[in-house]
Amino acid sequence: MPRKLDRMRLARDLADAIRGAWEDLQDLAKGERLYSFCLETDGEVRGVLSTANSEEGLDLAARRHAELNGCDFELSRRTLRWSPADWAYREIATERFHAINELLEELVGDQWDESSGWSGMRFWLSLVWRVVLPFGVERRVLSTLETVLREFMNDRPFLRGSLIAFLIHSRSNQALVESARSICGTAAAERLRSELEDAHEPSTLPSRPT
């Protein structure tokens, strides 16, 4: 039988993983000015990773981008600012999310053993699980991810104004803005919207994790 989602356990494990990832980030980016800290997942929520960037990391990436493409440094900076694929701190503390990702893969992955054959009623039941039920699981997982990240930020009011946290699960800028609004409030969301609008290249859209 498909495994049920234990949201309380998921929330508890996520809170521990996020705190650990933040502590690791403090060591990795010591002395740097962090401006983003996000959770990233794919469209099917098969796993989650933490990612972040600093002003210093952005400067380095923008300088490389400008040199390689023969474009203005400030334009490169605006373009890459909210492009997680180009951030300095990708996939922070992956080992801290290992057990969570195994659980998510089991929850939304294939629920039937394909090697045993597909026929009759089993085929249709599998379609119900693979096509209909995962959307409910996905919504509950995404809600839990946002809730835990919001609680993390609420416990650290000193980060307000300098750092924006949000959930990356869509290539839609509007989805990023609404996630930032849910986690950090209206001011952070409107700042993110403005800076996304200032970018002029498609690479401002986040890439899906591999």
Side-chain angles (χ1 to χ4, degrees):
M1 292 294 292
R3 185 171 178 178
K4 293 181 64 176
L5 173 64
D6 184 341
R7 293 186 70 174
M8 291 185 64
R9 177 188 170 190
L10 177 61
R12 184 174 61 250
D13 291 349
L14 270 170
D16 290 342
I18 292 171
R19 282 193 298 269
W22 178 254
E23 291 170 1
D24 292 349
L25 180 60
Q26 299 308 294
D27 291 333
L28 291 169
K30 188 170 295 184
E32 297 182 24
R33 295 164 295 161
L34 293 166
Y35 69 84
S36 65
F37 182 63
C38 303
L39 295 179
E40 185 171 359
T41 185
D42 62 13
E44 296 181 337
V45 200
R46 288 176 176 267
V48 61
L49 57 86
S50 54
T51 183
N53 206 19
S54 66
E55 299 291 350
E56 290 76 9
L58 175 61
D59 285 344
L60 183 60
R63 194 168 296 111
R64 287 198 301 261
H65 182 272
E67 291 173 355
L68 287 172
N69 295 279
C71 56
D72 179 71
F73 169 76
E74 288 301 327
L75 173 59
S76 293
R77 204 173 189 280
R78 292 196 302 272
T79 298
L80 301 182
R81 185 171 188 82
W82 297 108
S83 175
D86 299 291
W87 286 357
Y89 302 105
R90 293 279 297 160
E91 304 186 24
I92 310 161
T94 54
E95 71 284 352
R96 296 184 184 274
F97 292 89
H98 181 71
I100 293 168
N101 290 337
E102 284 190 336
L103 171 64
L104 294 179
E105 176 63 31
E106 182 177 345
L107 283 168
V108 301
D110 292 342
Q111 300 298 310
W112 302 94
D113 181 3
E114 297 181 0
S115 66
S116 62
W118 295 51
S119 61
M121 185 59 70
R122 178 167 185 168
F123 172 78
W124 293 108
L125 287 173
S126 71
L127 285 182
V128 170
W129 178 254
R130 292 162 61 90
V131 176
V132 179
L133 295 183
F135 289 107
V137 172
E138 176 187 325
R139 285 193 297 269
R140 292 194 296 274
V141 172
L142 290 175
S143 175
T144 302
L145 292 175
E146 280 203 342
T147 297
V148 175
L149 190 53
R150 180 168 56 249
E151 290 172 351
F152 171 85
M153 290 295 292
N154 287 342
D155 289 342
R156 293 159 180 79
F158 56 87
L159 295 177
R160 300 277 179 179
S162 61
L163 185 141
I164 299 179
F166 53 88
L167 177 63
I168 303 168
H169 67 94
S170 166
R171 292 183 65 84
S172 162
N173 283 351
Q174 184 61 31
L176 304 185
V177 170
E178 291 310 312
S179 180
R181 189 184 312 279
S182 170
I183 293 167
C184 297
T186 299
E190 291 309 309
R191 178 182 139 202
L192 177 60
R193 183 193 302 278
S194 175
E195 292 180 356
L196 285 168
E197 290 173 352
D198 282 345
H200 301 291
E201 295 184 10
S203 60
T204 54
L205 296 174
S207 63
R208 289 172 60 174
T210 57

